[in-house]
Amino acid sequence: LGREIDCITEKANAPIAVEIKAGRTFNDDFLNNLKYWNKLSENNSKNSYLVYGGDFSIGQKDGNLISWKHLEKGLMKKIV
């Protein structure tokens, strides 16, 4: 089973993982790769983001859910 993260960047010496899904309806399975990454890298889930095609943005236990509509104010300010 292949596992990958779509984008990994760094801010203040901490890795930031970003997974991107096209689906409009959130599914817990969307977070599987972020969960794996967080465990493998001992990354804090507050530095993990899932960008998806839906309308809502909210923090989750295993990462932050960000609507593509909120990229500029939700994600870009946190990683740039």
Side-chain angles (χ1 to χ4, degrees), residues 46 49 51 57-58 64-80:
K46 72 176 185 168
Y49 297 88
V51 177
S57 297
I58 189 168
N64 299 287
L65 185 64
I66 305 283
S67 167
W68 69 273
K69 297 175 184 180
H70 304 145
L71 277 179
E72 184 176 350
K73 67 180 179 180
L75 178 60
M76 299 309 290
K77 288 185 178 181
K78 293 177 182 358
I79 66 171
V80 178

Side-chain angles (χ1 to χ4, degrees), residues 5-7 12 16 19 21-23 25-26 30 32 35-36 44 47-49 53 55 60 65 68 72-74 79:
I5 296 293
D6 293 314
C7 178
I16 308 276
E19 183 73 351
K21 299 292 186 188
T25 303
F26 173 72
F30 286 0
N32 286 346
K35 288 179 193 177
Y36 183 77
N44 188 324
N47 292 331
S48 295
Y49 297 88
D55 297 322
Q60 297 282 319
L65 185 64
W68 69 273
E72 184 176 350
K73 67 180 179 180
I79 66 171

Side-chain angles (χ1 to χ4, degrees), residues 17-51:
V18 180
E19 183 73 351
I20 302 167
K21 299 292 186 188
R24 289 185 48 100
T25 303
F26 173 72
N27 181 317
D28 284 333
D29 290 341
F30 286 0
L31 291 169
N32 286 346
N33 288 345
L34 286 175
K35 288 179 193 177
Y36 183 77
W37 163 256
N38 291 335
K39 182 177 178 180
L40 183 69
S41 68
E42 298 179 359
N43 190 45
N44 188 324
S45 63
K46 72 176 185 168
N47 292 331
S48 295
Y49 297 88
L50 171 69
V51 177

